[in-house]
Amino acid sequence: MQAQAPCFPVTSSPEAGTDAGANEPAERRDDAPAAPVPGPAAELTAGAAGHRSWTAALLAERPSVLLREELSRFGVGLGLASLYGLSLGARQGGVSFVRHAAGVPAAMIAVACVGVPALTIVLTLFDAPLDPPRAISATARAAAATGLVLGGLAPASALFVVTSGADATAALMGLLGLAVGGAVGICVLLRDLGAVLQREGGVAGVSRSTAALVVFAAFAVVLALRVWWGMLPILKGGAL
């Protein structure tokens, strides 16, 4: 008799089953839709949303007040205002360029160095919650706004000043531009200071602070006109 070897059923090994089961999630991951890749248009839109223009950055209200940055912003406003002075000096030429370029921003310096500190002291006596750094920031923003307006009006002012037949007309047009730029700067200053006072002051304190701001606005207008009258020859030549 011949002995027959017993037959055992062949089964898959556990390792093979494990490998087969591990491959299934990989296949399902391959079938999953891929994540959308942002195209050039989306990247440009995201970049434009986070980009601010130079003018917006100059006039932006900053959360923290840094003296160096505020002085830089104030200096930019003075430089732009001097461009308007150059346009006024184009009528006479020569030394008149220098006198007018220095005279226009001189009024801004006078208001910032005389009027704003006096206003801060008065508000402190009224127990108004206004600290000097916030006053400096508001002054710098107001100077920048005034400079932007005057710098934008400089080309038109030069055209009217040079082509005007009468000195009075040239002086009137020059004074009109100064009035527009000065009004914008005072409005920005009063709005910034008023927002701080109304946010943190009581009813009585806000009333006193508002009265002080109105008096300051009148004082700033008179001071600026006095400086411009004394330093801008075009106004004297126009008999204004």
Side-chain angles (χ1 to χ4, degrees), residues 125-146:
L125 295 177
F126 289 161
D127 197 19
L130 180 64
D131 52 347
R134 184 56 56 188
I136 293 174
S137 178
T139 304
R141 288 187 65 198
T146 302

mmCIF file of all heavy atoms in Angstrom, residues 125-146:
data_model
loop_
_atom_site.group_PDB
_atom_site.id
_atom_site.type_symbol
_atom_site.label_atom_id
_atom_site.label_comp_id
_atom_site.label_asym_id
_atom_site.label_seq_id
_atom_site.Cartn_x
_atom_site.Cartn_y
_atom_site.Cartn_z
ATOM 1 N N LEU A 125 -6.833 120.782 31.659
ATOM 2 C CA LEU A 125 -7.484 121.508 32.758
ATOM 3 C C LEU A 125 -8.954 121.125 32.880
ATOM 4 O O LEU A 125 -9.513 121.152 33.984
ATOM 5 C CB LEU A 125 -7.353 123.021 32.537
ATOM 6 C CG LEU A 125 -5.923 123.586 32.574
ATOM 7 C CD1 LEU A 125 -5.934 125.078 32.256
ATOM 8 C CD2 LEU A 125 -5.271 123.326 33.924
ATOM 9 N N PHE A 126 -9.577 120.794 31.762
ATOM 10 C CA PHE A 126 -10.964 120.344 31.788
ATOM 11 C C PHE A 126 -11.095 118.870 32.151
ATOM 12 O O PHE A 126 -12.200 118.323 32.097
ATOM 13 C CB PHE A 126 -11.624 120.576 30.427
ATOM 14 C CG PHE A 126 -11.872 122.020 30.114
ATOM 15 C CD1 PHE A 126 -12.091 122.428 28.816
ATOM 16 C CD2 PHE A 126 -11.878 122.982 31.116
ATOM 17 C CE1 PHE A 126 -12.327 123.758 28.504
ATOM 18 C CE2 PHE A 126 -12.104 124.309 30.828
ATOM 19 C CZ PHE A 126 -12.333 124.703 29.522
ATOM 20 N N ASP A 127 -9.980 118.233 32.476
ATOM 21 C CA ASP A 127 -9.950 116.804 32.804
ATOM 22 C C ASP A 127 -10.428 115.958 31.626
ATOM 23 O O ASP A 127 -11.115 114.950 31.792
ATOM 24 C CB ASP A 127 -10.799 116.507 34.049
ATOM 25 C CG ASP A 127 -10.454 115.143 34.656
ATOM 26 O OD1 ASP A 127 -9.359 114.632 34.346
ATOM 27 O OD2 ASP A 127 -11.271 114.606 35.423
ATOM 28 N N ALA A 128 -10.052 116.374 30.421
ATOM 29 C CA ALA A 128 -10.408 115.627 29.218
ATOM 30 C C ALA A 128 -9.386 114.522 28.992
ATOM 31 O O ALA A 128 -8.184 114.732 29.182
ATOM 32 C CB ALA A 128 -10.461 116.549 28.012
ATOM 33 N N PRO A 129 -9.822 113.346 28.557
ATOM 34 C CA PRO A 129 -8.906 112.201 28.381
ATOM 35 C C PRO A 129 -8.132 112.283 27.074
ATOM 36 O O PRO A 129 -8.333 111.483 26.159
ATOM 37 C CB PRO A 129 -9.845 111.001 28.404
ATOM 38 C CG PRO A 129 -11.119 111.535 27.836
ATOM 39 C CD PRO A 129 -11.217 112.958 28.292
ATOM 40 N N LEU A 130 -7.248 113.243 26.960
ATOM 41 C CA LEU A 130 -6.436 113.405 25.752
ATOM 42 C C LEU A 130 -4.969 113.411 26.154
ATOM 43 O O LEU A 130 -4.517 114.297 26.884
ATOM 44 C CB LEU A 130 -6.789 114.711 25.032
ATOM 45 C CG LEU A 130 -5.993 114.996 23.753
ATOM 46 C CD1 LEU A 130 -6.290 113.941 22.693
ATOM 47 C CD2 LEU A 130 -6.304 116.385 23.211
ATOM 48 N N ASP A 131 -4.232 112.418 25.685
ATOM 49 C CA ASP A 131 -2.817 112.338 26.000
ATOM 50 C C ASP A 131 -1.997 112.982 24.878
ATOM 51 O O ASP A 131 -2.445 113.044 23.726
ATOM 52 C CB ASP A 131 -2.389 110.890 26.217
ATOM 53 C CG ASP A 131 -2.799 110.005 25.054
ATOM 54 O OD1 ASP A 131 -3.610 110.466 24.218
ATOM 55 O OD2 ASP A 131 -2.311 108.862 24.975
ATOM 56 N N PRO A 132 -0.812 113.481 25.178
ATOM 57 C CA PRO A 132 0.021 114.123 24.149
ATOM 58 C C PRO A 132 0.323 113.235 22.948
ATOM 59 O O PRO A 132 0.313 113.742 21.821
ATOM 60 C CB PRO A 132 1.292 114.493 24.933
ATOM 61 C CG PRO A 132 0.835 114.658 26.339
ATOM 62 C CD PRO A 132 -0.236 113.629 26.526
ATOM 63 N N PRO A 133 0.613 111.938 23.087
ATOM 64 C CA PRO A 133 0.846 111.137 21.872
ATOM 65 C C PRO A 133 -0.331 111.130 20.909
ATOM 66 O O PRO A 133 -0.150 111.191 19.693
ATOM 67 C CB PRO A 133 1.124 109.733 22.435
ATOM 68 C CG PRO A 133 1.657 109.973 23.796
ATOM 69 C CD PRO A 133 0.913 111.149 24.303
ATOM 70 N N ARG A 134 -1.547 111.075 21.433
ATOM 71 C CA ARG A 134 -2.713 111.099 20.550
ATOM 72 C C ARG A 134 -2.857 112.452 19.873
ATOM 73 O O ARG A 134 -3.248 112.535 18.697
ATOM 74 C CB ARG A 134 -3.963 110.774 21.365
ATOM 75 C CG ARG A 134 -5.230 110.681 20.532
ATOM 76 C CD ARG A 134 -5.089 109.678 19.429
ATOM 77 N NE ARG A 134 -4.711 108.363 19.933
ATOM 78 C CZ ARG A 134 -4.383 107.338 19.171
ATOM 79 N NH1 ARG A 134 -4.326 107.482 17.851
ATOM 80 N NH2 ARG A 134 -4.060 106.177 19.684
ATOM 81 N N ALA A 135 -2.536 113.519 20.584
ATOM 82 C CA ALA A 135 -2.581 114.848 19.971
ATOM 83 C C ALA A 135 -1.528 114.974 18.873
ATOM 84 O O ALA A 135 -1.778 115.583 17.822
ATOM 85 C CB ALA A 135 -2.371 115.919 21.043
ATOM 86 N N ILE A 136 -0.356 114.395 19.092
ATOM 87 C CA ILE A 136 0.692 114.425 18.066
ATOM 88 C C ILE A 136 0.259 113.662 16.824
ATOM 89 O O ILE A 136 0.462 114.108 15.688
ATOM 90 C CB ILE A 136 2.006 113.856 18.643
ATOM 91 C CG1 ILE A 136 2.553 114.775 19.729
ATOM 92 C CG2 ILE A 136 3.036 113.656 17.545
ATOM 93 C CD1 ILE A 136 3.768 114.215 20.439
ATOM 94 N N SER A 137 -0.351 112.507 17.016
ATOM 95 C CA SER A 137 -0.806 111.714 15.881
ATOM 96 C C SER A 137 -1.882 112.458 15.085
ATOM 97 O O SER A 137 -1.861 112.467 13.848
ATOM 98 C CB SER A 137 -1.344 110.368 16.376
ATOM 99 O OG SER A 137 -1.842 109.599 15.298
ATOM 100 N N ALA A 138 -2.823 113.086 15.778
ATOM 101 C CA ALA A 138 -3.874 113.838 15.086
ATOM 102 C C ALA A 138 -3.296 115.030 14.332
ATOM 103 O O ALA A 138 -3.729 115.349 13.214
ATOM 104 C CB ALA A 138 -4.923 114.301 16.093
ATOM 105 N N THR A 139 -2.306 115.687 14.923
ATOM 106 C CA THR A 139 -1.673 116.816 14.246
ATOM 107 C C THR A 139 -0.934 116.377 12.997
ATOM 108 O O THR A 139 -0.986 117.041 11.948
ATOM 109 C CB THR A 139 -0.705 117.516 15.211
ATOM 110 O OG1 THR A 139 -1.407 117.905 16.402
ATOM 111 C CG2 THR A 139 -0.097 118.748 14.577
ATOM 112 N N ALA A 140 -0.238 115.246 13.075
ATOM 113 C CA ALA A 140 0.488 114.740 11.910
ATOM 114 C C ALA A 140 -0.473 114.353 10.787
ATOM 115 O O ALA A 140 -0.218 114.625 9.609
ATOM 116 C CB ALA A 140 1.348 113.541 12.312
ATOM 117 N N ARG A 141 -1.584 113.732 11.128
ATOM 118 C CA ARG A 141 -2.564 113.368 10.108
ATOM 119 C C ARG A 141 -3.170 114.608 9.471
ATOM 120 O O ARG A 141 -3.394 114.658 8.256
ATOM 121 C CB ARG A 141 -3.672 112.514 10.721
ATOM 122 C CG ARG A 141 -3.257 111.100 11.089
ATOM 123 C CD ARG A 141 -4.461 110.292 11.513
ATOM 124 N NE ARG A 141 -5.366 110.119 10.390
ATOM 125 C CZ ARG A 141 -6.646 109.766 10.525
ATOM 126 N NH1 ARG A 141 -7.160 109.577 11.730
ATOM 127 N NH2 ARG A 141 -7.406 109.607 9.466
ATOM 128 N N ALA A 142 -3.445 115.633 10.277
ATOM 129 C CA ALA A 142 -4.004 116.866 9.736
ATOM 130 C C ALA A 142 -3.016 117.553 8.800
ATOM 131 O O ALA A 142 -3.395 118.057 7.735
ATOM 132 C CB ALA A 142 -4.387 117.804 10.884
ATOM 133 N N ALA A 143 -1.748 117.554 9.173
ATOM 134 C CA ALA A 143 -0.728 118.151 8.303
ATOM 135 C C ALA A 143 -0.595 117.370 6.998
ATOM 136 O O ALA A 143 -0.439 117.964 5.921
ATOM 137 C CB ALA A 143 0.619 118.203 9.028
ATOM 138 N N ALA A 144 -0.664 116.045 7.079
ATOM 139 C CA ALA A 144 -0.585 115.239 5.866
ATOM 140 C C ALA A 144 -1.782 115.488 4.951
ATOM 141 O O ALA A 144 -1.634 115.579 3.724
ATOM 142 C CB ALA A 144 -0.500 113.759 6.239
ATOM 143 N N ALA A 145 -2.973 115.608 5.527
ATOM 144 C CA ALA A 145 -4.163 115.884 4.719
ATOM 145 C C ALA A 145 -4.072 117.255 4.060
ATOM 146 O O ALA A 145 -4.402 117.423 2.878
ATOM 147 C CB ALA A 145 -5.419 115.789 5.589
ATOM 148 N N THR A 146 -3.616 118.255 4.819
ATOM 149 C CA THR A 146 -3.452 119.591 4.240
ATOM 150 C C THR A 146 -2.429 119.581 3.118
ATOM 151 O O THR A 146 -2.631 120.194 2.055
ATOM 152 C CB THR A 146 -3.019 120.584 5.336
ATOM 153 O OG1 THR A 146 -4.009 120.595 6.371
ATOM 154 C CG2 THR A 146 -2.867 121.979 4.774
#
